[in-house]
Amino acid sequence: DTGVSQNPRHKITKRGQNVTFRCDPISEHNRLYWYRQTLGQGPEFLTYFQNEAQLEKSRLLSDRFSAERPKGSFSTLEIQRTEQGDSAMYLCASRSSPTNEKLFFGSGTQLSVL
Amino acid sequence: TQLLEQSPQFLSIQEGENLTVYCNSSSVFSSLQWYRQEPGEGPVLLVTVVTGGEVKKLKRLTFQFGDARKDSSLHITAAQPGDTGLYLCALEGGADGLTFGKGTHLIIQP
């Protein structure tokens, strides 16, 4: 297994467009997390899944953000009507239960909104 | 939400020097994790400290958890250019997600 995979690595879009990012976790990991990291800051928690269930989504930044994990394997994060302030690195991470298991991060998707 | 403060925010030193970076909280935490992040990559877990006063060593890196479990430090001996990166401390948040500090940007000049 090659670890957590994120696609695309880079995305440039115009303001107002929709974007979707994909995350493929480590295959045996049932927990999947999304984070956002802006320049000069640490990663900020957005949402997480246990299998296909989204157990926490109140920290998503606005109703323009949504995430899915339909079959409990890969996940997608969609941002609708992008704004320049959405420009950031979007990181995905996965781990097995329970909570204190090691968290593995992907390399992230760098989003630039023009 | 429990906040983590890291210091210094930036540190640039010469190869071979020693350094210490800090992570502090106003509240007691049950455990703390340290990560290193290279540009364009995700964070990689270095260590988890759990017990007050605990010291863990990872080659030239020494991690310490304060007795009161409100602070932690990372000491690097004889720093090398490969140690360059963003060092983040983090703790488990209430929503099962990690809460990160802003990190210390470390540059080791050859």
Side-chain angles (χ1 to χ4, degrees), chain B residues 83-101:
Chain B
D83 296 328
T84 293
L86 175 65
Y87 288 82
L88 295 156
C89 63
L91 50 84
E92 293 287 350
D96 236 10
L98 289 173
T99 298
F100 285 89

Side-chain angles (χ1 to χ4, degrees), chain B residues 95-107:
Chain B
D96 236 10
L98 289 173
T99 298
F100 285 89
K102 291 185 178 182
T104 293
H105 294 263
L106 176 63
I107 296 174

Side-chain angles (χ1 to χ4, degrees), chain B residues 26-44:
Chain B
S26 57
S27 305
V28 173
F29 36 73
S30 57
S31 67
L32 188 87
Q33 300 177 8
W34 282 95
Y35 289 79
R36 187 168 79 100
Q37 185 178 21
E38 296 186 20
E41 298 296 328
V44 176

Side-chain angles (χ1 to χ4, degrees), chain A residues 6-13 21 89 108-112, chain B residues 40:
Chain A
Q6 291 190 246
N7 289 288
R9 288 296 307 273
H10 304 274
K11 178 69 177 179
I12 300 173
T13 191
F21 311 138
M89 171 79 87
T109 294
Q110 182 66 53
L111 173 66
S112 297

Side-chain angles (χ1 to χ4, degrees), chain A residues 5-7 20-25 31-34 47-49 51-52 54 66-78 92-93:
Chain A
S5 176
Q6 291 190 246
N7 289 288
T20 300
F21 311 138
R22 177 178 170 124
C23 172
D24 288 88
R31 292 191 175 189
L32 184 149
Y33 301 77
W34 285 100
T47 187
Y48 91 101
F49 295 83
N51 300 312
E52 66 275 8
Q54 190 173 12
S66 62
E68 293 183 341
R69 193 183 184 196
K71 298 182 179 179
S73 56
F74 74 92
S75 175
T76 57
L77 177 68
E78 181 182 17
C92 175

Side-chain angles (χ1 to χ4, degrees), chain B residues 2 13 43 93 104:
Chain B
Q2 190 170 11
I13 63 172
T104 293

Side-chain angles (χ1 to χ4, degrees), chain B residues 21-76:
Chain B
V21 299
Y22 301 92
C23 176
N24 295 285
S25 171
S26 57
S27 305
V28 173
F29 36 73
S30 57
S31 67
L32 188 87
Q33 300 177 8
W34 282 95
Y35 289 79
R36 187 168 79 100
Q37 185 178 21
E38 296 186 20
E41 298 296 328
V44 176
L45 179 67
L46 297 174
V47 75
T48 301
V49 285
V50 178
T51 306
E54 183 176 8
V55 177
K56 283 191 173 179
K57 292 192 175 184
L58 188 63
K59 297 183 180 179
R60 293 175 294 99
L61 278 59
T62 301
F63 303 85
Q64 187 159 7
F65 203 11
D67 290 340
R69 291 160 55 195
K70 295 173 67 175
D71 59 275
S72 181
S73 64
L74 160 58
H75 181 79
I76 302 178

